[in-house]
């Protein structure tokens, strides 16, 4: 079985770990994992790393995310989403006073860099315990605000649901670590009526988009070989990193973990620096080392001297 990223369109009602376990049985591999949790009620893009691709998962966790959310106004829950227990219902008069223009203005106000308090029901940990486990025990731990950035947000399809509560759709593009549940709650608080996240689809996780995703049920009908054909090669998954292409002799050195110098393998032009400067002061990003067939050999970066590469990870042939 090859290594790569399989982009799954996660259905509602299954956890991210459940998707991983199902695929593990289907393709019979030991090393497999997702690159960012989706709640069981949420759907959409769930990148799955297989075999050696599990070693590059960290490059996708903090990438830009895209969502298509549904927000219901006038009802708050303890989990901030549709799976929780209702903790507040707004009086009808407050809801009657709302209009789409007002809601649109408040939603637009959440654009940009800001701080967000993570929800008490989340996988973040406190003293080694996930917050959601502590919350289920009655310990509601509030973590300090964390910086996030929302680069696109809008309100669409403002309407009433069957219970008379205003509902709208909300496409969002944001930094990794943004909680859309918290965003929905904060919008409700700003409107003075309360709100919760009533549906969520992740449309993008870094470079992986919903149009690249394969339905989980369809994967269940495919052979392991056909599933493998859907893998995105590791070198393509990391094409946002600069690359150096090496000859066969150097490729052999890399596979053995032998030292590499900048003199022997020049840095990519986009990362070249003035040799008169103290290169140790520069934050040089990781670099892909590729063979002549564009297979990923290793991920390297400069050491403190700026004259030698150090290995972040080396991949088997």
């Amino acid at each position: 079985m090859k290594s790569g990223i399989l982009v799954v369109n996660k259905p509602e009602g299954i956890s991210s770990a459940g998707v991983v376990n199902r695929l593990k049985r289907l393709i019979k591999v030991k090393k497999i994992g997702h690159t960012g949790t989706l709640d069981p009620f949420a759907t959409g893009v769930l990148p799955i790393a297989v075999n050696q691709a599990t070693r590059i998962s960290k490059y996708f966790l903090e990438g830009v995310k895209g969502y298509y959310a549904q927000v219901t106004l006038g009802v708050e829950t303890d989990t901030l989403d549709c799976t929780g227990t209702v903790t507040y219902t707004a009086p009808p008069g407050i809801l009657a006073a709302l209009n789409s223009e007002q809601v649109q203005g408040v939603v637009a106000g959440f654009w940009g860099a800001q701080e967000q308090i993570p929800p008490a029901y989340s996988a973040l940990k406190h003293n080694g315990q996930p917050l959601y486990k502590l919350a289920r025990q009655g310990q509601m731990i509030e973590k300090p605000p964390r910086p996030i950035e929302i680069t696109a947000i809008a309100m669409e399809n403002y309407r009433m649901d069957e219970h008379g509560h205003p509902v709208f759709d909300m496409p969002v593009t944001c930094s990794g670590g943004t909680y859309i549940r918290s965003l929905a709650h904060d919008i409700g608080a700003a409107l003075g009526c309360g709100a919760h996240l009533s549906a969520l689809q992740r449309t993008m996780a870094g470079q992986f988009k919903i149009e690249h995703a394969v339905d989980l049920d369809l994967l269940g009908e495919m052979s392991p070989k056909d599933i493998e054909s859907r893998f995105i090669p590791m070198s393509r998954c990391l094409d946002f990193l600069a690359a150096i292409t090496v000859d066969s002799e150097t490729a052999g050195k890399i596979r053995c973990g032998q030292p590499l110098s900048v003199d022997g393998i020049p840095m990519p032009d986009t990362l070249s620096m003035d040799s008169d400067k103290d290169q140790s002061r520069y934050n040089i990003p990781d670099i892909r080392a590729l063979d002549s067939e564009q297979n990923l050999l290793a991920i390297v970066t400069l050491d403190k001297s700026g004259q030698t590469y150090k290995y972040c990870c080396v991949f088997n042939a």
Side-chain angles (χ1 to χ4, degrees):
M1 180 66 64
K2 294 180 180 178
S3 300
I5 299 290
L6 176 66
V7 186
V8 176
N9 184 10
K10 189 188 88 65
E12 185 178 356
I14 184 173
S15 68
S16 299
V19 173
V20 170
N21 290 334
R22 185 170 172 183
L23 287 170
K24 191 173 185 179
R25 293 192 298 269
L26 284 173
I27 58 180
K28 297 178 175 58
V29 293
K30 292 183 179 180
K31 292 184 178 181
I32 183 171
H34 60 76
T35 66
T37 302
L38 267 180
D39 290 327
F41 79 92
T43 66
V45 173
L46 183 67
I48 303 294
V50 181
N51 286 329
Q52 293 187 82
T54 56
R55 302 176 67 191
I56 63 173
S57 295
K58 67 177 184 179
Y59 292 98
F60 311 118
L61 292 175
E62 298 302 322
V64 174
K65 303 294 192 299
Y67 297 94
Y68 197 74
Q70 178 182 283
V71 179
T72 297
L73 300 177
V75 178
E76 292 183 348
T77 71
D78 56 357
T79 61
L80 313 186
D81 61 39
C82 57
T83 68
T85 300
V86 174
T87 58
Y88 171 80
T89 301
I94 291 180
L95 298 181
L98 294 175
N99 58 67
S100 61
E101 291 77 15
Q102 178 187 4
V103 175
Q104 187 174 33
V106 168
V107 169
F110 281 84
W111 179 88
Q114 58 201 272
E115 290 194 330
Q116 183 186 70
I117 298 175
Y121 283 86
S122 71
L124 295 177
K125 292 186 176 181
H126 177 76
N127 294 332
Q129 288 290 318
L131 294 187
Y132 67 84
K133 289 188 176 181
L134 295 173
R136 289 169 184 167
Q137 298 168 10
Q139 302 180 54
M140 305 296 284
I141 305 297
E142 183 175 295
K143 287 286 190 180
R146 305 193 306 174
I148 64 165
E149 184 172 11
I150 296 175
T151 53
I153 188 169
M155 187 209 73
E156 299 178 351
N157 304 323
Y158 187 83
R159 59 200 185 274
M160 296 291 175
D161 67 11
E162 64 272 22
H163 304 294
H165 295 128
V167 177
F168 62 90
D169 300 325
M170 185 174 68
V172 180
T173 306
C174 55
S175 59
T178 302
Y179 286 91
I180 307 301
R181 286 179 286 150
S182 294
L183 178 60
H185 176 270
D186 293 345
I187 288 170
L191 287 165
C193 64
H196 71 277
L197 182 66
S198 45
L200 183 67
Q201 180 192 46
R202 185 156 66 190
T203 57
M204 176 181 65
Q207 70 189 83
F208 308 117
K209 299 181 179 179
I210 192 67
E211 53 263 35
H212 303 146
V214 186
D215 289 348
L216 183 61
D217 288 341
L218 178 60
L219 290 169
E221 300 172 359
M222 297 168 63
S223 68
K225 186 175 181 180
D226 288 337
I227 295 175
E228 185 178 358
S229 71
R230 300 282 188 144
F231 289 3
I232 301 174
M234 289 191 295
S235 58
R236 280 180 50 203
C237 294
L238 297 173
D239 59 7
F240 52 87
L241 297 179
I244 49 177
T245 300
V246 302
D247 57 26
S248 58
E249 181 181 352
T250 305
K253 291 181 179 180
I254 290 174
R255 291 194 176 100
C256 295
Q258 295 179 11
L260 304 174
S261 70
V262 173
D263 290 339
I265 310 172
M267 289 176 56
D269 292 339
T270 55
L271 299 180
S272 295
M273 299 178 302
D274 188 341
S275 59
D276 294 333
K277 294 181 179 179
D278 178 7
Q279 299 190 18
S280 65
R281 294 181 299 160
Y282 290 80
N283 182 21
I284 301 302
D286 294 344
I287 302 167
R288 291 174 295 153
L290 309 175
D291 66 15
S292 59
E293 296 180 354
Q294 301 300 290
N295 295 310
L296 184 63
L297 298 170
I299 298 174
V300 300
T301 190
L302 287 181
D303 66 6
K304 292 182 179 180
S305 72
Q307 301 301 313
T308 305
Y309 293 104
K310 64 179 181 180
Y311 292 102
C312 300
C313 48
V314 179
F315 302 99
N316 297 328

